[in-house]
Amino acid sequence: MKDSDRESTPELPTSERSDEGGATQRRELARRDLEAIARGVEEGFRREQRVVSFGEYLDLFAADPVRYSRNAAQYLRDVFRHYGRETRQHPWGKRVRYRLFDAPYASPERAGREPRLVGQDELGRELYRAISNFAREGRVSRLVLMHGPNGSAKSTAAACIMRALEHYSTLPEGALYRFHWVFPSRKTVRGAIGFGSSGGTRAEPDSYAHLDESEIDARLFIELRDHPLFLLPLEERRRLVEKLWPAGDSRPPEWLLGGELAHKNMQIFDALLTAYHGNLTDVLRHVQVQRFYVSRRYRLGAVTLGPQMSVDAGERQITMDRSVASLPSYLQATTLFEAFGELIEAAGGVLEFSDLLKRPIDTFRYLQNTLETGEVSLPQQNVTTNVVMIGSANDIHMAAFREHPEYASFLGRMELVRVGYLRSCLEEQEIYDKLVIPQVRRHVAPHATRVAAEFAVLTRMRRPDPKRYAKALGDVLATLTALEKMVLYADGTAPNRLDNEDKKLLRASVGAVYEETDGEPDYEGKIGVSPRVMRTVVLDAGQRDEYGCLSPFAILAGLEELCRRVGEFEWLKLKPQNGGYHDHAGFRAEVRTRLMDQIELDMREASGMVAEEQYHELFKRYIDHVSTWTKGEKMRNPLTGKDEDPDERMMREVEGLLGVEGDHRGHRQNFISLIAAWAIDHPGAQPRHAEIFPAHVPRLQAAAFARLRKPFALLLRDVVTVLHTDKEAAEQGTAAGSSEAGHGGLPVGSEGLRRAEAAIDRLVERGYCRACALDATSALLRERYADLVT
């Protein structure tokens, strides 16, 4: 055959040859990366001391006995302490905040997926108090039952604790250990314990913990996670632990000094001790101590249990991974039982009983005896329970539980922690901003979540009872509206309609008002719209076709629809009271008014008519002069360099803009008192006037703009015209402003068009898109300035 007759191999195109070469290179890179990953995992395995012998574990224990002696309550208390705490200032007083509820361990890539508890500082404090008491007692003797309305973050609190447990267990200071039993193959050892005649020549190791799998015939997994030191006799263990315990520290925990092996471990230990004729060293060779990590997903030390109908532990007879004949003869004749169930899986950590009271009471009656004795009874054994139990229940089931004839006996084994809805609209807004908005796939307009939060908190407000207070305070509270109470809880601002003395009295009494109903069954925060319901309202608002983004007006439309569902929610069935309490129609009107106020403020600042900084500078100058005036001192004039009296005319003008009438002296002294109080709470910090007086600069701005209503209205009209023209052009697929008239009649290059575009740009800088800017400015023009542009 001629060469020309042979079928030649087709040559690959250049692009395919380069792609094949690139694929080869990528495969090589992947293999190298895999090898590096494998080396890293192996190094981490050794560094973290995942598997150690009993002797190696004893070395760890001797180096830090306190760390390795903790029961479940002591361990969980240390989790709280590890992540630290901070003191937060609220209008109702200072509260301790435990940082584990803020997911401080979250990596950047998981920051939005970690559970977080917004607000609820009192809940965190009560949980820590109960857990600390268990730690001091030496065992968990009660179930912590969180109860409150649906959606009040009870399950979120438990999830935060479990997630913190998971992370803490990965740290060196949170290392947890359990042990299993290892039985080597015949060729590994030189006879003994029923393995038959010696056939091996290899020297017997000090421990079988590190044998390769090929050298092991069987491994007995122990599910109960006994402490490794339970393998030592009681008296000798006590002496050893007390000898190793640091001087000056609290005494060793009784659970470690007096704890005993679980039934299955005791059977294996006794069988081996008999086989080795009492040689404990030989028995301990079979112990493989293994580090374990808390995992809610894999139900290891952190378990959530739903309202099921059975006892939460059981047992079954076990079979071995390999033939029973592979075990020593003393164990082949032993019947071993394996405990199972949620109480077993949660050992050493936390067991959450979700919606506990949805169960019939008989299904958790066993908890009374379990919490009293620290054991749960199974057919073949009693299992010691080393676990913190946390439960949740809604207030409806809690009320029924209180009527049960055995409630008093159960109460002795429970720590009741009430969890109401949030009453600060700032904290409520944080829920939506952090946990709901990331799920919205559209632009979010300014003030959208604020509208939702304010409405939600207004539905939870309860009218104060003036009879509980001294007459002066009672008279003030008798006139306090739901809206004013919401604002008071949010930032401590008293109603401007009050005189200075009443304002001061009310601000000093916020804590008493906040805690007024704490001891009552119908407490403030029990009734109102749930954050779960509001979450749906916010998400639905983000999908409304009539709005180009998640608009506050879409939220308002969703709230109107929600309030028609009277048959579904108790808070909609309440009759309105004086002061606007329980008036959901009034709430929507109030929230809309506050929204329009904020939009108007945004538009004023975007107009450029008067720079915002001028108001802040004027207010700062006013504070400086008032401060000097109250001291009876003089101040240096920066222009003349002379010492002069404070400018009385300027102070009176500012007070006039702020609406101060009558007692100017009292007003000024009150200002200085507020600054002094702030300085006490913020030692060493320069006074932040915007924080101390959040409403005063906007009030100055509003007063100044009263003189500019007409030109402001014309600018507002031009902004709406430009935005509306652009929207129509986008819908029609044409270029905005392509006609000679420009935007909606505004000539191209005109001063009106320039100012309108500049204002729109400033709105965009403040977080508006052109769609929500059109919604906001057109509503403002229509509702407040239409009479000036017609």
Side-chain angles (χ1 to χ4, degrees), residues 686-702:
Q686 287 294 320
R688 295 190 288 272
H689 297 151
E691 182 178 327
I692 304 171
F693 308 102
H696 287 74
V697 171
R699 203 177 300 161
L700 280 177
Q701 194 175 18

Side-chain angles (χ1 to χ4, degrees), residues 269-403:
F269 180 87
D270 286 345
L272 288 173
L273 194 64
T274 300
Y276 283 123
H277 307 292
N279 190 326
L280 179 62
T281 301
D282 285 344
V283 173
L284 295 179
R285 284 179 181 173
H286 292 269
V287 174
Q288 183 185 68
V289 183
Q290 184 181 47
R291 183 173 178 180
F292 72 94
Y293 302 91
V294 174
S295 172
R296 191 179 187 186
R297 170 176 289 182
Y298 301 116
R299 299 169 70 87
L300 186 62
V303 178
T304 297
L305 177 62
Q308 60 193 42
M309 304 291 289
S310 61
V311 175
D312 309 309
E315 62 184 1
R316 53 179 172 251
Q317 187 174 351
I318 64 172
T319 56
M320 308 308 159
D321 295 338
R322 303 185 185 184
S323 169
V324 175
S326 299
L327 290 171
S329 56
Y330 278 95
L331 282 175
Q332 292 177 21
T334 303
T335 301
L336 300 176
F337 286 87
E338 176 183 77
F340 65 89
E342 287 81 0
L343 275 171
I344 310 304
E345 294 164 344
V350 172
L351 174 60
E352 178 199 5
F353 293 87
S354 180
D355 288 318
L356 174 68
L357 299 183
K358 286 184 179 179
R359 294 178 167 196
I361 197 167
D362 287 340
T363 63
F364 60 87
R365 193 186 303 275
Y366 75 95
L367 287 176
Q368 285 182 289
N369 186 62
T370 296
L371 289 163
E372 182 176 351
T373 64
E375 294 181 340
V376 60
S377 297
L378 300 178
Q380 303 297 326
Q381 59 184 310
N382 285 348
V383 175
T384 301
T385 55
N386 175 33
V387 61
V388 176
M389 300 184 194
I390 298 176
S392 63
N394 66 46
D395 274 336
I396 296 175
H397 292 105
M398 190 68 200
F401 183 48
R402 285 193 172 102
E403 300 301 319

Side-chain angles (χ1 to χ4, degrees), residues 39 52 90 103 105 238 286 392 395 400 424 453 457 551 585 645 660 664 695 781 784 787:
R39 285 194 300 271
V52 296
H90 300 280
Y105 44 77
R238 181 181 293 271
H286 292 269
S392 63
D395 274 336
S424 165
V457 170
S551 165
D645 291 329
V660 178
H664 292 272
L781 179 64
R784 297 190 175 184
D787 59 319

Side-chain angles (χ1 to χ4, degrees), residues 401-568:
F401 183 48
R402 285 193 172 102
E403 300 301 319
H404 196 280
E406 294 188 52
Y407 171 71
S409 63
F410 274 99
L411 188 59
R413 289 299 166 190
M414 288 183 174
E415 283 275 355
L416 299 183
V417 179
R418 195 175 65 197
V419 191
Y421 292 135
L422 296 177
R423 288 175 281 167
S424 165
C425 60
L426 302 181
E427 291 180 339
E428 185 77 11
Q429 183 178 354
E430 190 178 347
I431 293 178
Y432 310 142
D433 288 339
K434 288 186 175 180
L435 307 180
V436 181
I437 293 306
Q439 303 173 43
V440 177
R441 302 304 180 190
R442 305 173 80 183
H443 174 260
V444 179
H447 320 305
T449 54
R450 197 188 84 166
V451 165
E454 289 182 350
F455 176 84
V457 170
L458 281 169
T459 67
R460 303 166 191 168
M461 292 293 96
R462 176 172 162 168
R463 188 182 180 192
D465 183 0
K467 297 178 182 179
R468 298 185 179 213
Y469 305 91
K471 186 178 185 307
L473 179 58
D475 290 345
V476 173
L477 294 176
T479 65
L480 192 68
T481 69
L483 179 65
E484 289 169 346
K485 193 176 189 184
M486 180 198 75
V487 174
L488 186 69
Y489 284 170
D491 57 23
T493 300
N496 195 49
R497 59 180 175 79
L498 300 177
D499 62 32
N500 290 328
E501 285 303 314
D502 285 346
K503 285 180 182 179
K504 185 177 180 180
L505 178 62
L506 183 57
R507 280 193 294 264
S509 307
V510 178
V513 176
Y514 188 80
E515 297 170 357
E516 176 186 318
T517 60
D518 279 1
E520 299 181 8
D522 294 327
Y523 54 91
E524 186 174 62
K526 178 180 179 179
I527 296 178
V529 64
S530 162
R532 292 178 185 169
V533 173
M534 292 304 301
R535 176 181 181 275
T536 302
V537 170
V538 173
L539 292 176
D540 287 348
Q543 301 181 62
R544 286 182 172 266
D545 293 333
E546 62 267 39
Y547 297 98
C549 64
L550 175 53
S551 165
F553 298 100
I555 299 283
L556 288 169
L559 293 176
E560 186 173 354
E561 294 173 0
L562 174 67
C563 291
R564 297 193 192 110
R565 298 157 59 184
V566 178
E568 300 179 38

Side-chain angles (χ1 to χ4, degrees), residues 747-782:
V748 175
S750 67
E751 183 66 14
L753 178 58
R754 185 192 65 77
R755 289 180 177 175
E757 288 287 9
I760 293 169
D761 290 342
R762 295 189 191 104
L763 287 174
V764 171
E765 290 173 0
R766 293 177 179 273
Y768 287 83
C769 67
R770 295 180 83 88
C772 61
L774 176 58
D775 294 337
T777 52
S778 58
L780 181 61
L781 179 64
R782 181 173 60 253

